[in-house]
Every structure is written in C-alpha cells, then in structure tokens.
Amino acid sequence: MPPNLVSATLRRGLFTRVVGKRLIFFQEIPSTMDETARQAQAGAEEGLVVVAEVQTAGRGRMGRNWVSSPGNLYFSVLFRPSMPVLGMISILAGIAVVRSIRACTGLSPRVKWPNDVMLQ
C-alpha cells in the first residue's frame, strides 16, 4: 500500500481532537523520534504522528539501540505539554495504547517500561 494510502487509512480510524490530526507515514526511516523533532522545530502542531514500518537508527532509553524490524509499528507523537505534565506523558501514553488495543481487539498487550507496548 503506498504511503499516502496508509496515512489516509490510519487517519480514518482516529476519533481524536489532537493526536493524529496530521499523520506522516514512512515505509523506512532512520528514526521516527528524529523526524518528529525535525517537524517540531519547523513548527508542526501538537498531535503530529510520525509512523514507520521500519526504523534503521531507532534508539531506546539512554541512547541504547532499538531494533526495529519489519512486522511491527513504530511511531512518535508530538506533544507540547506544560512542565507539570511532562514527566508523566510517556508512561500515560503506553497505558492508553494498551487500554485502546484491549478495548478494540480483546487482545492482552502489556507495557514494557516505560512506554513500549508488547503483544505476544
């Protein structure tokens, strides 16, 4: 499926006021986090989602390598939180994704600290 169709398909399934108003899809990208930061510096609005099927230079906590093989979904979301909320965003996002997957599919994903969502 071409990238613009993937973005359109994902966007149609979102019922949100902020997250996903703009969605950018890449089949392969070095890092969704780096692309999101680049977009933020260029003035992108809060809620931008950068999605990739494969990351070639993904990073985990403390700069550790993050293996981003095909068959998974990798994404970063641009938030512009106030300082009191900042420390909780990552953890709350992981919990929200787990609850959404469970409610929509009946599957039982889990959060791997601090915000990686794992299924099987």
Side-chain angles (χ1 to χ4, degrees), residues 4-104:
N4 58 341
L5 290 177
V6 171
S7 295
T9 301
L10 291 172
R11 181 67 188 103
R12 272 195 308 268
L14 293 175
F15 303 97
T16 177
R17 286 182 269 158
V18 177
V19 175
K21 283 183 1 186
R22 180 168 175 226
L23 191 143
I24 304 171
F25 173 80
F26 296 90
Q27 289 180 335
E28 183 176 302
I29 190 171
S31 165
T32 60
M33 188 169 47
D34 289 347
E35 178 61 20
T36 302
R38 190 182 72 70
Q39 294 283 332
Q41 289 174 349
E45 287 187 46
E46 182 175 43
L48 166 71
V49 180
V50 176
V51 182
E53 288 184 9
V54 174
Q55 294 182 111
T56 57
R59 292 180 314 282
R61 292 179 57 224
M62 298 186 286
R64 294 182 182 128
N65 288 339
W66 178 256
V67 177
S68 305
S69 55
N72 296 296
L73 185 62
Y74 307 99
F75 64 93
S76 296
V77 180
L78 173 60
F79 288 110
R80 298 184 184 276
S82 63
M83 288 306 290
V85 175
L86 184 61
M88 304 207 42
I89 288 273
S90 185
I91 294 165
L92 292 174
I95 292 168
V97 169
V98 163
R99 287 182 174 178
S100 296
I101 291 170
R102 190 173 293 136
C104 291

